[in-house]
Amino acid sequence: MKFAYRFSGLLGTVYRRGNLSFTRDGSALISPVGNRISVFDLKNNKCETLPLATRLNIVCVGLSPDGSLAILIDEEGAALLVSLIGKCVIHQFYFHKPVHSVSFSPDGKKFVITKDNVALMYHAPGKKREFNAFVLDKTYYGPYDETTCIDWTDDSKCFAVGSKDMSTWVFGAERWANLIYYSLGGHKDIIVACFFEENSLDLYTISQDAALCVWQCDTELDGLKPMPPKDAAREKNAEENDEEFLEEPKGEEIHGKANPNEQETRHKVKYSRVAKYFFNKEGDFNNLTSAAYHKKTHLLVTGFASGIFHLHELPEFNLIHSLSISDQRIASISINCTGDWIAFGCSGLGQLLVWEWQSESYVLKQQGHFNSMVSLAYSPDGQYIVTGGEDGKVKVWNTSSSFCFVTFTEHTSGVTAVTFTSNGYVILSASLDGTVRAFDLHRYRNFRTFTSPRPSQFSCLAVDSSGEIVSAGSQDSFEIFIWSMQSGRLLDVLAGHEGPISSLSFNPMKCVLASASWDKTVKLWDMLDSWRTKETLILNSDVLVVAFRPDGKELAVAALNGQITFWDHENAVQTGSIEGRHDLQMGRKELDKITAKQAAKGKSFTTLCYSADGQSILAGGLSKFVCIYNVKEQILMKKFEISCNFSLDAMEEYLDRRKMTEFGSMALIDEGAGGEDGVAIPLPGVKRGDMSYRHFKPEIRVTCLRFCPTGRSWAATTTEGLLIYSLDSGLIFDPFELDIDVTPSNIHKTLHQKEYTMAIIMALKLNEKKLIQEVIEAVPSNEIDVVCSSLPDLYVEKVLEFLASAFEISCHLEFYLTWAHKLLMLHGQKLKTRSVKLLPMIQFLQKSIQRHFEDVSKLCEWNIYNIKYALAISQQRGMKRLAEEASVDEEDLDSDSDYLMQEAHKDNFSS
């Protein structure tokens, strides 16, 4: 089996903190998710998480005007320069202090970052090769407190910086004779945002107490005068003299004064406040938390801590729209280039919304689990993933688009287990609220609710291969409850365990249920023999998880002592064991008194999953590693590090002495301020690090692992979210039975001679995807039958595997369907004999065809509807025309009869 699985996507979390940014064309949204960034393609309805990560959570993202580069800055000020085209890291830089905001100039030549009370302007990395991507140009001093926001003028001549000292500073990107710096006051709270008017130096400033000031400048942008050459030369010489004593040039420094004297302000740019507006006149809204302004349409969007947002038209301050989208603070707002779509991020609940304000409709509405995800399950065809969380929600995600398309909220407590039935249209979930619920994926409703005679907290769940028998284990009454899916009736209550039930698993091939418990036993129950205990497997430690191999012939058990044991359950014989405690490699928590190595001795695997072919097993637990073992050899084959985010707890391997003081760890010291929410008031009697403290670091852990039935990917629910590792995300040279004559030139030569079968075999040996595609697509459609019949059995599987992957990207639908049909018809019987081994590949093929079937059927239904509508309209018009003609004929008949009557009357009169 290949182990080239690579990170391919992050689901379950759509936004954490930081600023949202639209791409240049306005069709995609970039959202920071922990220490990664996700790109939401709103037009094609897809989401992609870039395969790169920072060391800590991302707090601000700067996007270049051409959309090719992005600067990602984490909590400690470490920056990554990222290519959004190549999806790779180009450069790393450290700003030494936390950065509050970053912004590129509109011409793309400079960018400004704000940290502490300073604004730093750097030369933006260009498209030519450079020794250092970040070269400091100027340092701007002026504010007395931390800086909060940045905005540039349209021509990149000036930029404005807001501060927590309630002032806004306007700086010149160059030293202009009439504008070097200018300080604006007028507010009574922290500046949240500042915006220049289009092609003007006029400015809007917005403060946290929901006040807006409108500032008018007496000078246009064209009126900025360059510094006289004499003064510029004098200043440059002074800088060079200073830099003689420095190791490296530090760039030019500009020191602003809040109250300059008259001589300094003479012949300089002047600002005057022309208006001041307040958002919360009625007192309905609390702190203003974020704002965005679209210069072309003069549209101002403001978000509040109560989850309400306002749309105003400036400079008249006319209210266009007001809406509540959440009950948590709106942390970030962004408007796309056309001004039609507005993106909102709410960090409290992890919500991401894109609102089209003109039609008053949602373009995107996504929310992850705002507590930990506990369990997941793949649908039988691998198209969907269902997740259950401690927030009591059950969410279903599409693996191809990475979007959640339905959320079930019927549970009133944490969800502990979820699973699909074998038909893929029913989801089952168990919860601590004492219910097991069945959800229908056709109508999106809860159609069955299973309960126990006495209230019980269900900790695990299993459904048999037919989808008719549902079982759930209780953690307080030590019993297993069995229900019928069709009737919803309780069939039986299995008693016998002497501890909480930790895991349940049905044998995929037989009617046998395995139950694991903390009483150090695994019991096997025979469904066909009145649910009597068939076997009891006794272990040395509390059993945490149990899993059957896909062919049902082997049972894997993970215990509290860190061992994974394998059993032949038919004969109740142990066939092997893996000592996995040392492979977990625990990290050290901030408040741990013992080393990570010592802490690992008490840890174990809490989740197990066999691969689709049954040759390997995945294992994970309270660690940042997922281990994959070969079952036959019982050796560790690979360790996947699921996160490198040090904002999570238990990531450090060794104690950091810099965080230790004579009074203990610095993690215990309360800073006193809680970031955006003001002063953090701890709950009574709470120490730092306690879970009931208002701010704590979540601990890294893996709660559930599942392999995709197609064998192409596997998924893990972790503290970070739902991570997917896939075979399809990397370019790997993996030849098959390669010999010296198999070269691309020889393959093309064979193809030119119309020896199609030999060309296909040679291309499959080289295993280059593009070459295989070229050869298969060169086969004429009338030759497919002959080629399929002459293919050796060994290569039929390879061709089917290629067809399954080609279906996902190719537009030659009928051509590839013909190939699949002919191969399955000619070689179906032989493939059936190896059905267990080939099942993942067949399911992968089925998944690809099913997705196309759904897309085409929707298109056909829409076309049928349009044709029916057109026919109905034409019939209606035809009936109308006939009715009009009939009425005209009646009028003609009436006129003719009148004429005849008049003539007859004349004849009578004459006679």
Side-chain angles (χ1 to χ4, degrees), residues 30 55 84 163 188 193 205 320 384 393 482 495 520 546 575 585 592 604 623 700 717 746 748 816-817 836-837 862 905:
I30 294 174
R55 192 171 173 273
L84 294 177
S163 170
K188 296 178 182 177
T205 56
I320 299 170
Y384 307 121
K393 291 181 180 176
I482 310 292
K520 303 182 183 179
V546 63
T575 57
Q585 204 170 332
D592 273 355
S604 54
S623 165
I700 185 70
T717 50
N746 282 351
H748 286 119
Y816 282 125
L817 278 171
V836 175
K837 190 181 176 187
W862 176 244
H905 185 67

Side-chain angles (χ1 to χ4, degrees), residues 598-832:
Q598 288 294 324
K601 288 182 180 176
K603 300 299 176 186
S604 54
F605 293 116
T606 56
T607 176
L608 288 179
C609 174
Y610 273 98
S611 62
D613 59 2
Q615 292 179 15
S616 310
I617 194 163
L618 277 171
L622 293 173
S623 165
K624 63 178 177 179
F625 292 103
V626 169
C627 303
I628 189 161
Y629 295 96
N630 184 295
V631 177
K632 192 178 179 183
E633 302 294 333
Q634 296 173 13
I635 56 168
L636 177 69
M637 301 200 68
K638 186 161 182 176
K639 278 167 79 170
F640 296 93
E641 188 176 5
I642 56 165
S643 178
C644 58
N645 187 359
F646 283 82
S647 294
L648 302 172
D649 207 358
M651 289 293 294
E652 300 274 3
E653 288 183 33
Y654 303 102
L655 183 67
D656 190 350
R657 296 289 175 191
R658 292 172 295 181
K659 292 182 181 175
M660 294 300 290
T661 65
E662 56 184 313
F663 306 108
S665 172
M666 286 176 70
L668 286 164
I669 299 168
D670 188 5
E671 290 90 358
E676 303 95 347
D677 303 323
V679 178
I681 303 165
L683 299 170
V686 171
K687 286 195 302 183
R688 180 69 186 275
D690 194 332
M691 288 297 235
S692 54
Y693 189 77
R694 293 182 195 274
H695 300 276
F696 68 92
K697 286 174 81 170
E699 184 183 345
I700 185 70
R701 60 176 175 163
V702 179
T703 50
C704 190
L705 291 165
R706 290 291 179 267
F707 238 99
C708 181
T710 64
R712 305 292 297 178
S713 60
W714 58 270
T717 50
T718 70
T719 315
E720 288 265 74
L722 174 61
L723 303 175
I724 295 180
Y725 286 79
S726 173
L727 275 177
D728 308 317
S729 58
L731 293 169
I732 302 147
F733 178 62
D734 183 23
F736 173 74
E737 294 187 354
L738 191 64
D739 57 49
I740 198 164
D741 297 324
V742 178
T743 61
S745 57
N746 282 351
I747 292 168
H748 286 119
K749 194 186 289 181
T750 311
L751 192 62
H752 188 67
Q753 293 166 358
K754 296 188 177 180
E755 294 178 17
Y756 299 118
T757 308
M758 185 53 68
I760 289 171
I761 291 169
M762 289 170 75
L764 289 167
K765 282 184 176 182
L766 199 59
N767 208 3
E768 280 286 333
K769 203 168 182 180
K770 285 189 177 178
L771 195 59
I772 297 168
Q773 184 179 345
E774 185 187 339
V775 171
I776 284 182
E777 288 181 2
V779 178
S781 55
N782 58 346
E783 295 274 342
I784 293 174
D785 204 346
V786 179
V787 173
C788 287
S789 59
S790 59
L791 265 178
D793 295 345
L794 190 62
Y795 294 95
V796 171
E797 182 188 337
K798 296 276 180 190
V799 175
L800 282 171
E801 198 172 330
F802 166 77
L803 291 174
S805 59
F807 267 120
E808 295 194 329
I809 51 171
S810 178
C811 55
H812 305 301
L813 190 56
E814 188 186 356
F815 181 75
Y816 282 125
L817 278 171
T818 308
W819 268 97
H821 180 253
K822 296 290 182 190
L823 283 170
L824 292 171
M825 289 296 288
L826 291 165
H827 300 273
Q829 287 300 322
K830 290 177 184 175
L831 291 171
K832 212 170 182 180

Side-chain angles (χ1 to χ4, degrees), residues 63-131:
L63 208 61
S64 65
D66 63 356
S68 61
L69 297 174
I71 296 174
L72 316 177
I73 305 176
D74 69 19
E75 291 168 340
E76 286 186 356
L80 294 181
L81 178 67
V82 172
S83 166
L84 294 177
I85 298 166
K87 297 169 188 172
C88 58
V89 177
I90 298 171
H91 185 68
Q92 297 182 7
F93 193 79
Y94 188 44
F95 289 111
H96 299 286
K97 292 279 181 71
V99 173
H100 306 117
S101 53
V102 57
S103 178
F104 275 87
S105 62
D107 62 5
K109 292 179 180 177
K110 305 279 176 73
F111 71 88
V112 172
I113 66 110
T114 60
K115 63 173 187 178
D116 287 345
N117 61 337
V118 182
L120 303 170
M121 185 163 71
Y122 288 83
H123 291 286
K127 292 177 182 173
K128 60 182 186 296
R129 290 187 179 182
E130 292 160 328
F131 177 69

Side-chain angles (χ1 to χ4, degrees), residues 352-377:
L352 184 64
L353 308 162
V354 179
W355 174 261
E356 189 173 52
W357 65 275
Q358 287 168 324
S359 64
E360 297 186 10
S361 60
Y362 286 109
V363 177
L364 174 75
K365 190 178 184 183
Q366 292 285 302
Q367 180 183 344
H369 293 276
F370 58 84
N371 275 350
S372 299
M373 270 187 276
V374 175
S375 59
L376 83 121

Side-chain angles (χ1 to χ4, degrees), residues 30-50:
I30 294 174
S31 169
V33 184
N35 66 334
R36 300 179 183 271
I37 56 167
S38 293
V39 181
F40 294 88
D41 187 345
L42 302 172
K43 286 195 174 171
N44 298 317
N45 195 40
K46 282 194 175 179
C47 169
E48 180 188 15
T49 306
L50 300 192

Side-chain angles (χ1 to χ4, degrees), residues 85 113 157 277 322 344 364 443 534 581 594 684 797:
I85 298 166
I113 66 110
K157 288 182 177 178
Y277 302 105
S322 178
F344 300 95
L364 174 75
R443 297 179 182 83
K534 192 179 175 188
R581 188 190 298 142
I594 56 172
E797 182 188 337

